[in-house]
Amino acid sequence: MTTYLTIDTSAAITVGVAQWELGVVRQLAVESSPEKRHHAELLAPMVRSVLERAGISAPDAVIAGTGPGAFTGLRAGLVTARTLARAWNVDLYGLSSLDIMALAAVDQGAEEIVAMIDARRKEVFTARMRAMGADDVELIQAPDIAQPDELAELLERQPAVVAVAEEDLYPRVGPHRVVVDFAPTVMVRLVQSRLGRIDAGESLSLDTEPQYLRRPDVHGGAHAQPAAQGNPYTGN
């Protein structure tokens, strides 16, 4: 039996606890906040709350969503996950937040999915995936930044179910949409699937390198920054 603490701050803030035993996952506690600021103030109380509700003092492992997302919120979530895993001396696993959303959409019957997260500046972070069994997804198009209108036109030519964490996020994008969350059970199933694939010899990463895709506003004053080439914060 393994108990996981899960944290994702890519779209909002979601913290949960789930238990994995003999291939069965069970949610013990979850808390979410739509707040897109003040992550540092909210994360610690939310972690304490879900651990208390789950009846544990510490998990056996931590799973963190690696984005893409806004710089400050994403960084706060990953720093919190890393700090807790180090303090508890437990394993830490990272998952693309878009992958998590895609698997949550698979649970609602989707087969090909375009996951979409608000990137602000009238843009979105997006990636296209397809279902890979019941507990995993396969990447078709890598995470990128897109204009909503361009993405809507692409979806007319190449239909897919659009997965969003915010129901009102560019409703004109995609005629077929599902609203998903970062449920701890979904994150645990995805980690377990990836661990199994790694054990079988596949080259997969579960590290917590953040997917920023774009430099933060502090790098350019008032003018919007273009999408970064690669990860501008590799090693952070």
Side-chain angles (χ1 to χ4, degrees):
M1 180 176 68
T2 306
T3 303
Y4 292 88
L5 172 72
T6 64
I7 298 173
D8 191 282
T9 55
S10 59
I13 307 173
T14 305
V15 179
V17 178
Q19 189 177 77
W20 174 272
E21 185 173 16
L22 300 175
V24 177
V25 62
R26 182 167 64 96
Q27 180 174 293
L28 302 182
V30 66
E31 284 195 11
S32 296
S33 170
E35 179 62 55
K36 294 188 177 181
R37 301 178 187 273
H38 312 296
H39 292 76
E41 296 91 337
L42 292 172
L43 275 165
M46 290 174 71
V47 169
R48 284 196 299 270
S49 177
V50 295
L51 291 177
E52 288 174 1
R53 288 166 55 195
I56 61 173
S57 58
D60 301 308
V62 178
I63 306 173
T66 60
F71 176 84
T72 302
L74 187 58
R75 187 177 182 87
L78 289 170
V79 167
T80 297
R82 290 168 177 170
T83 301
L84 292 172
R86 188 176 300 115
W88 289 322
N89 193 28
V90 299
D91 290 332
L92 172 64
Y93 303 108
L95 292 171
S96 165
S97 301
L98 294 167
D99 286 19
I100 299 165
M101 294 173 68
L103 184 56
V106 171
D107 288 346
Q108 297 189 45
E111 294 186 2
E112 188 159 324
I113 309 103
V114 169
M116 186 171 73
I117 294 174
D118 188 9
R120 302 177 186 173
R121 307 177 195 164
K122 299 181 180 179
E123 293 178 323
V124 293
F125 300 119
T126 183
R128 181 178 287 254
M129 282 157 274
R130 66 167 63 93
M132 188 178 179
D135 296 317
D136 212 332
V137 291
E138 178 184 15
L139 189 65
I140 301 174
Q141 293 176 351
D144 201 355
I145 299 175
Q147 297 283 343
D149 288 343
E150 293 175 354
L151 184 57
E153 291 176 4
L154 177 63
L155 285 163
E156 289 180 3
R157 300 191 304 272
Q158 302 175 19
V161 174
V162 176
V164 294
E166 301 167 278
E167 186 173 6
D168 60 351
L169 179 62
Y170 299 110
R172 66 183 181 277
V173 178
H176 305 294
R177 293 164 63 100
V178 293
V179 180
V180 300
D181 57 25
F182 298 90
T185 52
V186 172
M187 295 175 70
V188 169
R189 286 164 48 214
L190 191 51
V191 159
Q192 287 291 334
S193 175
R194 301 276 165 94
L195 288 172
R197 292 169 63 189
I198 290 170
D199 287 344
E202 290 190 53
S203 179
L204 299 172
S205 174
L206 288 172
D207 68 29
T208 56
E209 185 67 31
Q211 296 185 66
Y212 288 124
L213 299 187
R214 161 201 287 156
R215 296 181 183 276
D217 291 339
V218 71
H219 283 271
H223 297 289
Q225 296 293 310
Q229 296 299 313
N231 188 339
Y233 291 90
T234 298
N236 281 18

